[in-house]
Each structure stands twice: as structure tokens, then as C-alpha cells.
């Protein structure tokens, strides 16, 4: 309260018994008001609707004119000064609070930061995305199918008879199903069963690719892994020809490997395509001269392809008189080996961070 009221006004108040009592009350109340709540209590007690200063000012209406003027002036002065004082104290409390929280929450910016390791997409995931982009750009849709598959989709509906060598125990991982027939359930040996599944559920025309994992009972070496990735492709429409297949794969090979890559089609056999071909891209590791990856041939086989066998159409209820189609299946790891010169397929699955960082 010290200094709150100009000295001459204070003197004048002390001369009046009512005002001096009020002033003493106020000084007492303010002395212990050190937080927002007690400041508010002081305000209510003195300036509120029934507050002491408010009542004083209301009471003077009855008084003679001169007395009324004097008490009105002093009372209003007191009211004004108290309002100012409360404002000052509130502000000071806010500043103190802020300083206290700044101090409490202080951050030591001289501490060395924690190192954050940024991950990258696995090379194979990026290749699959790249393949998807190329075919989506040509109007294809991306679909998926199960990795644990039925013999029916993996072999039978793909026109692969029971005696076919790829059905042998040596190539296929079979899954034992309690109470089930051994050899009914297996890890799909290729992504081709997805062909049957989409055709079964979708009427033609159809332009799809199906990326995913496939499994074969292979001994791991530089170019074989028991788990690998394929991207299956299937186009079915009226009037699809072998020329469409060649054109599509050539566009793909150029987009994937560059305009100077050479592509060759070799006649081949697949039970579910007729005619069938294996498609090779010239080896860019050795430039075609022959190396460990291309086994000295200068070519890397990246996919199998062909015209959909009408027998497959009959399994899914497609009209083979009206529709024709082509299909292809490419090895993602082989494409990655070829494109980035990774010398050994096993590097993809070793989880060695140096490989992940390098590519
Ligand atoms: N499924 C075949 C394989 O894994 C590839 C292929 C797909 C061939 C589609 C022709 C048509 O070798």
C-alpha cells in the first residue's frame, strides 16, 4: 500500500475516522495477498457489488452536499488507486509465473543431439514399385493373392497335370494341414495362381499385375533363393495377340533398363501358356561377355511369358472363342541384380545394413 496513494490524499483520509479504518483494513488485506486468488478476494471485498468501498460510495447519497463531495472524491480516488494496485500485482504475478516456467522448462541447447538413423526402402520393394508404376502407366491394375495356396490354383487350374516335374516334392514346399490331404496346400511356387483367382472373380477384359513372394525348394546360390519375388502380369481382351505381348514386354524392358538394353525371346514351355517364351535382357554386369551372374552367357533370364492356354480359360469360365490373352511372370531379384549389379541374390536377404545403405 506504501506509495499506492499520493501522500496528500492519504493524509486527508487519515483525518476521517471511517476512511482511516477502511484504509487500515485495505492495507491489512493487501499485505497477505500474494497470489491471483487472494488478489481476487481483495477485489471482491472492496470493489465488489457489496464491497466496502462500493458501500461507502453508495452511502454518501444521504449526506449533505459538501460532505458528499469530499467523501465521493476520496472514495473514488481510493477505488481508482486500488484498481491500479491490483492490476500491477496481477501483472507482476504473471511475469513471475512466466519466468518461473521458463526456468523450469529450460532446455540445454548445448547438449549434443541424439542421432536419428533414417531408414530406406529395401531395394526389392523399390523395384516392385518401379515395375508397378510402369504397368499402371499402361493401364494395368495391381492385385494380390495368398502365399499359402491350394494345389488347385498353383497347378491344376494352370493346366499343370499331376505328373508335371514342377509338382515334385523337390520343388514345392507343401504345408501339412491337420486332417487334410498332404499335397493339397502349399507355398505357391510362382505368382501365376493369382491369374486364376482374378479371372475367377472378374469378367474380361482384364489387365492386371500381381507382385508377391514365391517359394521353391532350391539350394541357395548366387542366383537362387528358396524365397523370392515375382511380378505376374495378365492381359485378357478381345483380339490380344503375341505381338501385343512382345510390344508390352519391350516397352517394359526399355523403361526398366534403358533404351540400349537388348531383349530376346526364346521359345519355351509352360503348361499354362501356348506358345510360351523365356525373355532375356542383356547382362549389364559383364556387358554381355559372360560373368558369374549370367553364368557366362551374356544374358539374364528375367521372365517367362506366353499366350494364355485356352484350357486355363475353361477352368475359370472365360469364353476362349471370344477372348485371348497373354501372361508373364518376372523375377524381381533377377531384375535387381541386373539393374544394380548386385553380385549375389543372397545379399538381399542377409539384412546387412551396408547393402541397404549402398543402394
Ligand atoms: N510362372 C512362371 C514361372 O514362375 C512364369 C510365367 C508366368 C510364365 C506367366 C508364363 C506366364 O516360371
Amino acid at each position: 500500500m506504501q506509495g499506492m496513494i499520493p501522500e496528500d490524499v492519504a493524509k486527508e483520509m487519515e483525518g476521517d475516522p471511517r476512511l482511516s479504518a477502511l484504509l487500515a483494513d485495505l492495507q491489512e488485506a493487501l499485505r497477505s495477498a500474494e497470489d491471483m486468488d487472494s488478489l481476487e478476494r481483495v477485489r471482491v471485498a472492496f470493489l465488489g457489488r457489496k464491497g466496502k468501498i462500493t458501500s461507502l460510495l453508495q452511502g454518501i447519497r444521504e449526506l449533505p452536499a459538501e460532505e458528499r463531495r469530499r467523501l465521493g472524491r476520496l472514495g473514488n480516488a481510493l477505488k481508482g488507486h486500488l484498481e491500479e494496485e491490483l492490476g500491477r500485482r496481477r501483472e507482476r504475478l504473471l511475469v513471475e509465473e512466466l519466468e518461473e516456467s521458463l526456468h523450469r522448462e529450460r532446455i540445454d541447447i548445448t547438449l549434443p543431439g541424439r542421432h536419428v538413423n533414417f531408414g530406406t526402402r529395401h531395394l526389392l520393394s523399390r523395384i516392385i514399385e518401379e515395375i508397378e508404376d510402369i504397368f499402371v502407366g499402361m493401364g494395368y491394375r495391381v492385385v494380390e493373392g495368398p502365399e499359402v495356396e491350394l494345389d488347385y490354383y498353383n497347378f491344376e487350374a494352370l493346366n499343370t497335370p499331376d505328373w508335371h516335374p514342377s509338382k515334385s516334392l523337390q520343388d514345392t514346399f507343401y504345408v501339412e494341414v491337420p486332417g487334410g490331404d498332404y499335397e493339397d496346400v502349399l507355398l505357391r511356387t510362382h505368382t501365376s495362381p493369382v491369374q486364376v483367382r482374378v479371372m475367377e472373380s472378374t469378367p474380361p477384359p482384364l489387365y492386371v499385375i500381381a507382385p508377391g513372394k514365391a517359394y521353391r525348394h532350391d539350394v541357395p546360390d548366387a542366383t537362387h533363393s528358396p524365397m523370392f519375388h515375382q511380378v505376374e502380369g495378365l492381359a485378357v481382351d478381345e483380339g490380344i495377340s503375341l505381338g501385343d505381348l512382345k510390344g508390352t514386354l519391350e516397352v517394359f524392358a526399355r523403361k526398366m533398363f534403358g533404351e540400349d538394353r537388348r531383349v530376346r525371346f526364346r521359345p519355351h514351355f509352360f503348361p499354362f501358356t501356348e506358345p510360351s517364351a523365356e525373355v532375356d535382357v542383356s547382362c549389364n554386369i559383364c556387358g554381355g561377355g559372360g560373368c558369374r551372374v549370367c553364368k557366362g552367357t551374356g544374358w539374364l533370364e528375367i521372365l517367362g511369358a506366353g499366350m494364355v492356354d485356352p484350357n486355363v480359360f475353361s477352368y475359370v469360365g472365360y469364353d476362349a472363342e471370344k477372348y485371348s490373352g497373354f501372361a508373364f511372370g518376372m523375377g524381381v531379384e533377377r531384375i535387381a541384380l541386373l539393374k544394380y549389379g548386385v553380385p549375389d541374390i543372397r545379399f538381399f536377404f542377409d539384412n546387412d545394413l551396408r547393402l541397404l545403405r549402398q543402394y
Side-chain angles (χ1 to χ4, degrees), residues 247-282:
T248 303
L249 293 181
E250 247 160 32
V251 168
F252 165 73
R254 297 217 180 99
K255 285 212 162 115
M256 197 68 190
F257 300 105
E259 294 298 326
D260 58 335
R261 286 264 80 77
R262 282 165 301 149
V263 175
R264 76 175 180 187
F265 290 73
R266 275 182 292 111
H268 197 70
F269 173 81
F270 294 106
F272 37 92
T273 48
E274 181 60 35
S276 304
E278 273 187 336
V279 181
D280 302 341
V281 176
S282 52

Side-chain angles (χ1 to χ4, degrees), residues 22 25-26 29-30 37-56 82 86:
L22 183 56
D25 277 358
L26 185 53
L30 279 174
D37 285 347
S38 43
L39 285 179
E40 177 60 11
R41 275 197 298 275
V42 172
R43 190 193 65 79
V44 171
F46 288 88
L47 301 174
R49 211 149 43 82
K50 288 179 182 161
K52 288 182 182 170
I53 297 177
T54 315
S55 316
L56 173 84
L82 177 59
L86 289 175

Side-chain angles (χ1 to χ4, degrees), residues 190 192 195 216 230 232 270 272-273 304-306 327-329:
H190 51 182
S192 299
Q195 286 187 40
R216 277 180 209 171
Q230 289 188 327
E232 191 81 10
F270 294 106
F272 37 92
T273 48
F328 55 84

